[in-house]
Amino acid sequence: MVHPAPSTFTGAADVISVLVLLSEFAMLRAPLLRSQIRLYAFQSLVVTALAIVVAASQHIGELYVLAALSFLLKVVIVPAIVLRFLSRAEVDLAGSSAFGVATMTLIAIAVSVFGFFSIGALHLRSTALPSTALAVSVAVVLVAFVLIVLRSDVVSQAVGFFSLENGVSVASLVVASGLPLIVDVAFLFDLLVAVVVFGVLMRVHHGRTKTLSTEPLDQLKG
Amino acid sequence: MDARRSRLHQAQLAPAAIQVLQDLTIVFGAPLISGVVAHIEGRLQGRRGPRILQPYYDLSKLFRKETLVPEGSSWVFLVGPIVAFACYLIVPLLIPVLTTYGLPLGYMGDILGGGFVLALAGFAVAVAAAESGAPYAQLGASRAMTFGALIEPTILFVVFAVGIITATDLPYALAATVRSSAGQIVRPAHVLAAVAFFLVVLADTGRIPVETHSGTIELGMIDEARTLEHSGAPFALLKWGSAMKQLILYTILIDVFVAPWGLAGSAGVGSVLLAIPALLGKAVILGCVFAVIDNSFSKLRLFKITEFLAAAFLLAALAVLVYYVGGG
C-alpha cells in the first residue's frame, strides 16, 4: 500500500519534529560541551518554530505567546546561564563515555525504534494528528534518557534533562495544541526550576571535584 | 524548415537505441564531469586547475602505453579491470538516465540489483589489486572492501525506504513518485533517505570523511591505491571506470532522489537528445556541491569513519521509521 503524501501541516510538523530528534542525536556525539549547549539552543529554536507552525495552521493565538516565552527562556536564557557556568569552570571537553560514538548512536537508534514501534502499536489513525511527530517526540524523550545514562559529565546530563522537556513540548504541541496556556507555562516554569537546581548541582560538583565528569562519584560507594 | 523541425519532433527513437544512448552518455560524459569538477576544485583551492578535457587526454595517453604485469600475477590481474568496466556498463541500463519511463532492459534488475553489480565491480578491482602482490594496492583493496561493508547497511535502509514509499524497488517508480507532487519531496521519509544516500555517495566517491580522491598520501588513499600496480590500457579502464562509477552514483542521486526533472517523457529524438545535456548539467552542479563540501571540511581520522557512517545509517533508519509510524 502506498501512503499518499501527508498534508502540508502534517508534513511540516513531521519534518520539524524529525529535526528535533536529529539534534538530540547530535548532542549524543558532540564532544565539546559548548557545542552541546548550542545544539540545545538550536533544538529549542526548532521547537519554537513548531509552536509557530501549529499556531498559524490551527489558528491558536495563545501559542504565539508560548512561542515567544519558550524562545526567550530556552533559546536565550538557559543556554546563556549554562555557557556562563562553563566559561567559569574552564572545562571544554566532555568526559569520556562508556561507549564509542558509533555504539552510542546504534544504542540510541535501537531505543528510538522501540519508541516508534510502541506508538505504532497504539494504532492512532487520525487526520488531524501527525502521529509521526508524536512517535518522534517519544523517541526524543528516550534518546534524552540514553544521553543522560551514557554520557558521564554533569553538563551532558543537565542538557539531556532540558532536552527531554523539548521532547515533551513537541508531544504537547502536536497532540494537545489547544492546551491552556497556563499549563504550557507551568512546563516552562518547571524547566526554570530544573535549570536552577542543575546549576547549583553543577557548581557544587565542580567545586568539590574540580571536574565536570561524574566518574569521581563512583568512589563514594562502599 | 518547419516541416523538417516537425519531422524531427515526430521522429521516434527505438528503445534499444535509447538504451545504447544511456550507456554512451555515461561512458563519454563521465570523464567530462570529472574534468569539470577537478577544474572547479582547483579554482576553489586557489589554483588554476587542470583543463576540463584533461581526463580524456589522460585516457587516450594511457591506451597508447604498454601494459606491464607484476611478476607472478596471473590473468586475474588483467581481467579484473575489464570485468569492472563491463559492470559499470550494465548499471546505467537499470537506472533512469535519459527517460522517465522504463526501457525494456530497465526492469532487468531493481535498485538492489544495481547495487550488486556495482559491488561486483568493486570486487573485481579488489581481486586484481590483491593479485598484484603489492602492499599499497592490497591495503587499498582491503580498506575499500571494509568500508564498503560498513556502508552497506545504510544503502539497504535507503532501499527499504524507497521500497515502502513506492511499494516497489524500481528506481523508475521512485523517480515518478517524486515528480508526482511537492508533498512527496518534503515528506520526512524521502528527505531523510535522500540525505542518507547523499552521504553514501559522498563517502563512496572518495570525498569525505577520510579519503583524498586525488592525493598521493597513502594514508588517505583507498580507491586510488587499488590501481597503483596497473598500467597501460587496464589502468585506463580502471580510471575510466571510477569516473563512470562517480557519474552513475550522481545519476542515481539526481534522477531518482533529488531532481528527476529534465528527463525525456517520450521517445522523441529532440527530448531524448535534450535529456543528455540536462543530466550532465545537473551532474556538474552536484559535483560542485561535493567539491565545496570536500574542501570546506577537514578529513577525519581513519577510524572515525564509523561515526560518519553511523550518522548516515541513523538518517536511513529514521527514514524507514517515520514512514512506518503514521506514513511520514
Side-chain angles (χ1 to χ4, degrees):
Chain A
M1 182 187 72
V2 178
H3 285 289
S7 70
T8 317
F9 165 63
T10 314
D14 287 350
V15 170
I16 292 176
S17 54
V18 165
L19 276 180
V20 174
L21 181 57
L22 286 181
S23 51
E24 190 69 49
F25 271 98
M27 279 179 211
L28 203 60
R29 80 158 292 279
L32 285 179
L33 294 175
R34 273 166 207 291
S35 54
Q36 210 164 33
I37 292 157
R38 289 200 189 101
L39 276 169
Y40 171 71
F42 168 77
Q43 191 187 44
S44 312
L45 189 67
V46 173
V47 174
T48 309
L50 180 66
I52 293 173
V53 166
V54 174
S57 60
Q58 315 269 6
H59 308 292
I60 305 169
E62 285 180 344
L63 279 182
Y64 288 113
V65 181
L66 177 69
L69 277 177
S70 88
F71 178 83
L72 195 67
L73 187 63
K74 293 198 283 191
V75 184
V76 182
I77 296 178
V78 172
I81 291 174
V82 185
L83 280 177
R84 190 154 156 257
F85 164 70
L86 269 184
S87 63
R88 284 191 186 165
E90 290 173 349
V91 181
D92 272 342
L93 277 171
S96 63
S97 49
F99 299 102
V101 169
T103 318
M104 278 204 291
T105 311
L106 288 181
I107 292 173
I109 290 176
V111 167
S112 50
V113 165
F114 174 75
F116 274 97
F117 275 78
S118 53
I119 291 294
L122 296 178
H123 293 293
L124 298 170
R125 287 271 176 251
S126 143
T127 48
L129 172 74
S131 55
T132 307
L134 181 62
V136 169
S137 70
V138 171
V140 171
V141 170
L142 292 176
V143 175
F145 279 132
V146 173
L147 177 68
I148 294 174
V149 171
L150 291 187
R151 293 286 293 253
S152 53
D153 60 283
V154 278
V155 176
S156 294
Q157 298 185 350
V159 167
F161 186 83
F162 302 156
S163 61
L164 199 144
E165 193 271 344
N166 271 342
V168 176
S169 301
V170 171
S172 76
L173 279 172
V174 295
V175 177
S177 50
L179 212 64
L181 185 62
I182 188 76
V183 180
D184 281 328
V185 174
F187 276 144
L188 287 181
F189 187 71
D190 260 1
L191 180 71
L192 205 56
V193 172
V195 169
V196 172
V197 172
F198 270 105
V200 171
L201 275 179
M202 285 193 286
R203 201 152 292 187
V204 168
H205 182 78
H206 183 253
R208 283 196 182 156
T209 62
K210 301 296 171 215
T211 167
L212 293 180
S213 166
T214 53
E215 268 156 27
L217 293 180
D218 286 349
Q219 294 160 0
L220 298 177
K221 66 190 169 197
Chain B
M1 180 68 194
D2 272 355
R4 263 181 61 200
R5 185 175 289 168
S6 70
R7 222 180 311 145
L8 192 66
H9 267 292
Q10 281 162 8
Q12 303 274 311
L13 280 172
I18 301 179
Q19 225 138 30
V20 171
L21 259 183
Q22 272 187 321
D23 255 352
L24 291 181
T25 309
I26 298 287
V27 171
F28 292 105
L32 178 71
I33 302 297
S34 300
V36 174
V37 173
H39 182 76
I40 291 169
E41 205 173 353
R43 285 292 163 93
L44 278 176
Q45 295 168 348
R47 299 181 281 122
R48 279 178 65 194
R51 279 177 298 181
I52 285 172
L53 296 180
Q54 190 61 43
Y56 293 103
Y57 295 125
D58 286 350
L59 288 178
S60 73
K61 182 187 78 183
L62 284 172
F63 272 116
R64 279 183 274 118
K65 295 265 181 185
E66 65 173 333
T67 302
L68 293 174
V69 178
E71 220 169 283
S73 56
S74 67
W75 54 272
V76 177
F77 180 78
L78 291 176
V79 169
I82 299 171
V83 172
F85 196 80
C87 290
Y88 294 133
L89 285 176
I90 293 173
V91 179
L93 301 176
L94 306 175
I95 56 176
V97 178
L98 299 177
T99 57
T100 55
Y101 55 92
L103 296 161
L105 289 178
Y107 297 110
M108 187 164 65
D110 53 14
I111 244 183
L112 217 48
F116 285 147
V117 177
L118 283 179
L120 177 63
F123 173 74
V125 178
V127 169
E131 185 67 21
S132 71
Y136 277 134
Q138 289 183 336
L139 175 141
S142 111
R143 280 183 183 174
M145 296 317 272
T146 313
F147 297 150
L150 290 174
I151 294 175
E152 211 58 39
T154 311
I155 297 178
L156 266 182
F157 267 80
V158 170
V159 172
F160 290 161
V162 171
I164 56 177
I165 291 174
T166 63
T168 72
D169 49 4
L170 290 169
Y172 284 104
L174 181 66
T177 313
V178 171
R179 267 192 308 272
S180 66
S181 79
Q184 294 284 1
I185 303 168
V186 296
R187 72 188 309 173
H190 177 257
V191 173
L192 288 168
V195 174
F197 193 72
F198 183 87
L199 294 180
V200 166
V201 176
L202 203 55
D204 237 11
T205 51
R207 294 276 172 189
I208 286 271
V210 294
E211 263 179 273
T212 45
H213 63 288
S214 58
T216 48
I217 315 161
E218 62 269 21
L219 281 176
M221 285 171 101
I222 297 176
D223 284 340
E224 293 289 313
R226 297 185 299 179
T227 58
L228 276 181
E229 291 301 310
H230 286 273
S231 58
F235 185 46
L237 283 182
L238 284 173
K239 270 182 94 82
W240 204 346
S242 89
M244 279 165 68
K245 178 188 172 191
Q246 170 174 300
L247 183 56
I248 288 170
L249 289 174
Y250 283 8
T251 308
I252 298 178
L253 182 61
I254 294 168
D255 280 351
V256 177
F257 287 96
V258 181
W261 292 275
L263 296 168
S266 69
V269 176
S271 56
V272 172
L273 288 185
L274 258 184
I276 297 176
L279 172 72
L280 295 181
K282 286 186 286 186
V284 164
I285 295 173
L286 185 64
C288 293
V289 172
F290 278 128
V292 168
I293 292 176
D294 192 11
N295 285 292
S296 35
F297 291 94
S298 54
K299 305 280 181 196
L300 297 178
R301 280 191 295 132
L302 188 66
F303 291 107
K304 291 269 179 185
I305 195 170
T306 49
E307 284 185 24
F308 179 84
L309 296 176
F313 179 69
L314 165 71
L315 296 174
L318 279 184
V320 174
L321 286 174
V322 294
Y323 192 89
Y324 177 77
V325 184

